Amino acid sequence: MPKQEVLHLHPFGWENDPEEERFKMSTLDYLTACTYNNYALFFRVDDADKARVVDVLKTGLERTLSQVRHICGTIEKDPSGDHSFVKKKDSTVQFVVQWLDSPEDSDNYPSFDEIAEKNFCTSALGDLKRWSVPPMTYGEKPEAHPDNSPVVAAYKLNFIRGGLVFIMHHHHYSNDVMGWAGLVHQLAENCYATVNQTPFPSWDPACLDLSRLTKPIVPEDSKIDGPPAPERHPGHIEAEMLLFHLPKSKAAELKKLASPTLTDGSWISTYDAFSAFLWRTVTRLRAPVFKPDLSAPLLWMEAVDMRRRMHSPKVPARIQHNVMSGVLSSTAPITAPTAAEVISEWPLSKIASYVRQMTDSITQDALDQMLDVVATVRDKTVLNIRIDAHPPMSLLQTDHRDANITSADFGFAKPSTYRHLIDRLTQGVVIIYPSRDLFPESDEGPEFSISYETSLKQALIEDPEWNKFFEYRGVDAIDAPQ
């Protein structure tokens, strides 16, 4: 049994904290997935430096918990029927330190080099329960439901031969990916200050102010019942997460290929280009198996970070919680293409332009109107996004490229990369990771973890059109026995 130590961290200065603090969930928080997120940061660290890493992360976490205050505690139901993040004076966050780097563990746990050789795929780690803090692995599960007083966050430091894997758990209601990224950079700066004995970074209290995204409580007689809670669609079959890489040079080629030849000022981004190409490819390859109505539109969805889109007032870059919106092809104010148009009838540039219009349709005003409707729903927990509640061939993209985790200097090292560890797959999800190499001369581009049917994967891996641009890097994740 590997050696481990379980610590319960108080926020720095907790002795002077109020007996209870409540941070109301925003109206927008309810619209994300009701899951735990399970992020892993991979560091290359010499054995001689490992002893101090525990103290550095412990001090850094204590400082960060005193700043990012809503993650120390639990989610509790309010008398109004909504929910709050509740921090008591004696609340702590679990911090587990585990040593998997002894010679006798060499056959049981991979080294840093072995994980790196497998492109930091979740599958390289084996059983995630050994690396994580239960029950906070990813997935829709009863323990994550806000009525069950879920713990908001926990951390686990796993030392391996040649480095470490730092696991950061949080309830998705507490943070989207960019909120988590803001927390990571704040933690890194606190750790850096600890190592270098420099002043600790400040924290803008506005990062916890979600009033802009929180609608007033609606009187009970004006509330409505929401739809049934989403359940997994029965048409899905066994799937895996497949990891692909898009080199920067290939992304530039793809953007040129997908750019419209219009003179009205229209433009597309690299994101629009690879999104269109990915959607076209997987639809073309899946259609003969799932046989969708080619004259009907497919569901395409993307998560859009709203931090740069809020203007009255603007919000700080590291604002916490979920400051994002999902745009759905079924409800957006733009006519969606049919399956046949996605597969071949539309030129690629038209699909890319459609993606651009979808993204641009999510404005602060549009989000305001949506939240006004959400506020009237009696039980908002039924409104969470669940892409696998939709038929096969539906897609949900979440773009992580702005997370910039590899630039976060913890004082003892910078992360080589990170992964959202998954052992309970959600069909239809596409995670777009940022490049691991930030040097301008590098051709390393974004990576794509794509949920894809196991029985169909070889056709995608070997598809000549796909391979002109995308490189296969292995099976990222598989479903674990539950």
Side-chain angles (χ1 to χ4, degrees):
M1 201 51 193
K3 176 188 172 185
Q4 68 175 21
E5 180 181 6
V6 180
L7 306 173
H8 297 276
L9 303 184
H10 288 280
F12 177 77
W14 69 277
E15 301 91 343
N16 299 316
D17 285 347
E19 292 298 324
E20 180 179 284
E21 297 173 75
R22 300 182 78 90
F23 304 91
K24 187 173 177 60
M25 272 181 56
S26 78
T27 311
L28 183 54
D29 284 333
Y30 286 101
L31 299 185
T32 192
C34 186
T35 66
Y36 280 113
N37 286 340
N38 187 10
Y39 286 100
L41 277 61
F42 299 89
F43 294 86
R44 187 182 292 277
V45 176
D46 293 335
D47 287 347
D49 294 330
K50 288 180 177 178
R52 69 170 182 158
V53 170
V54 177
D55 289 334
V56 171
L57 274 174
K58 177 177 178 293
T59 301
L61 281 167
E62 288 169 341
R63 288 279 179 172
T64 306
L65 293 172
S66 71
Q67 298 168 324
V68 190
R69 302 183 71 80
H70 72 300
I71 62 173
C72 182
T74 57
I75 298 175
E76 303 292 344
K77 196 165 188 176
D78 295 328
S80 66
D82 291 339
H83 299 82
S84 293
F85 298 90
V86 178
K87 176 191 173 299
K88 301 291 183 68
K89 183 174 183 177
D90 60 352
S91 292
T92 59
V93 168
Q94 192 174 169
F95 176 46
V96 181
V97 183
Q98 182 170 234
W99 287 265
L100 308 174
D101 55 355
S102 64
E104 53 268 29
D105 281 324
S106 61
D107 292 334
N108 299 321
Y109 299 99
S111 67
F112 183 93
D113 286 339
E114 289 167 340
I115 295 172
E117 287 171 3
K118 295 182 178 179
N119 293 298
F120 302 94
C121 287
T122 301
S123 58
L125 301 180
D127 186 356
L128 292 189
K129 294 183 180 66
R130 299 178 180 180
W131 300 82
S132 309
V133 179
M136 301 178 76
T137 50
Y138 173 78
E140 287 87 0
K141 57 182 70 174
E143 294 91 340
H145 195 281
D147 288 350
N148 293 333
S149 299
V151 172
V152 179
Y155 304 96
K156 192 167 185 177
L157 171 59
N158 298 280
F159 288 113
I160 57 176
R161 287 167 290 129
L164 64 90
V165 182
F166 180 45
I167 304 293
M168 302 182 70
H169 298 282
H170 68 268
H171 197 291
H172 206 330
Y173 282 0
S174 70
N175 260 333
D176 56 19
V177 65
M178 291 309 298
W180 168 77
L183 185 152
V184 170
H185 285 277
Q186 188 72 18
L187 172 60
E189 291 169 13
N190 280 318
C191 289
Y192 184 90
T194 301
V195 171
N196 293 281
Q197 298 184 324
T198 54
F200 287 99
S202 61
W203 176 254
D204 186 349
C207 290
L208 297 178
D209 182 3
L210 274 294
S211 57
R212 186 66 192 78
L213 300 169
T214 307
K215 296 297 181 178
I217 295 173
V218 174
E220 186 62 31
D221 58 2
S222 298
K223 290 182 179 178
I224 61 174
D225 290 329
E231 297 289 342
R232 186 176 183 273
H233 191 281
H236 289 293
I237 60 177
E238 182 182 352
E240 299 174 352
M241 300 293 289
L242 306 178
L243 188 68
F244 294 92
H245 170 235
L246 179 63
K248 285 193 293 189
S249 57
K250 294 295 184 181
E253 289 180 29
L254 194 52
K255 182 178 179 181
K256 185 177 181 180
L257 180 67
S259 292
T261 55
L262 301 177
T263 57
D264 60 358
S266 299
W267 69 282
I268 65 161
S269 66
T270 301
Y271 171 86
D272 304 327
F274 66 58
S275 297
F277 185 74
L278 189 156
W279 192 15
R280 162 156 286 176
T281 302
V282 299
T283 302
R284 169 173 57 82
L285 295 176
R286 282 168 159 161
V289 176
F290 290 108
K291 296 180 171 50
D293 180 353
L294 296 180
S295 65
L298 302 169
L299 180 68
W300 187 85
M301 186 188 313
E302 65 174 338
V304 178
D305 179 34
M306 297 299 293
R307 286 165 178 79
R308 290 172 294 178
R309 293 168 177 262
M310 304 296 286
H311 53 78
S312 57
K314 292 185 176 182
V315 298
R318 293 186 184 179
I319 190 169
Q320 297 292 283
H321 296 249
N322 293 273
V323 190
M324 50 78 71
S325 186
V327 55
L328 287 73
S329 59
S330 57
T331 58
I334 305 109
T335 302
T338 65
E341 289 167 336
V342 171
I343 292 170
S344 62
E345 292 180 2
W346 275 13
L348 188 64
S349 60
K350 190 170 183 178
I351 304 176
S353 295
Y354 170 78
V355 172
R356 172 54 31 201
Q357 292 176 67
M358 287 278 283
T359 306
D360 288 345
S361 72
I362 296 298
T363 62
Q364 178 177 300
D365 291 341
L367 181 60
D368 266 343
Q369 295 172 17
M370 180 173 63
L371 295 181
D372 285 336
V373 176
V374 172
T376 66
V377 177
R378 184 170 287 106
D379 179 8
K380 298 178 182 60
T381 66
V382 303
L383 300 177
N384 67 87
I385 293 173
R386 184 166 180 174
I387 184 62
D388 67 352
H390 299 280
M393 298 184 63
S394 303
L395 286 182
L396 165 62
Q397 288 193 174
T398 175
D399 185 5
H400 292 197
R401 289 175 304 150
D402 286 340
N404 200 23
I405 299 300
T406 56
S407 72
D409 192 342
F410 282 71
F412 57 83
K414 294 181 180 180
S416 296
T417 193
Y418 76 96
R419 290 287 186 253
H420 184 196
L421 303 183
I422 292 175
D423 64 354
R424 184 180 293 190
L425 264 63
T426 301
Q427 276 91 342
V429 171
V430 177
I431 300 174
I432 305 164
Y433 287 109
S435 169
R436 294 188 231 158
D437 190 337
L438 302 180
F439 287 102
E441 62 271 19
S442 170
D443 199 36
E444 183 75 11
E447 293 176 297
F448 296 70
S449 187
I450 304 173
S451 175
Y452 208 80
E453 292 76 19
T454 304
S455 58
L456 309 181
K457 72 177 186 179
Q458 212 57 38
L460 176 61
I461 293 168
E462 298 174 357
D463 185 71
E465 289 299 311
W466 178 254
N467 287 335
K468 288 179 183 177
F469 302 97
F470 286 82
E471 303 170 349
Y472 178 55
R473 286 190 163 174
V475 175
D476 186 14
I478 60 174
D479 263 327
Q482 302 299 326

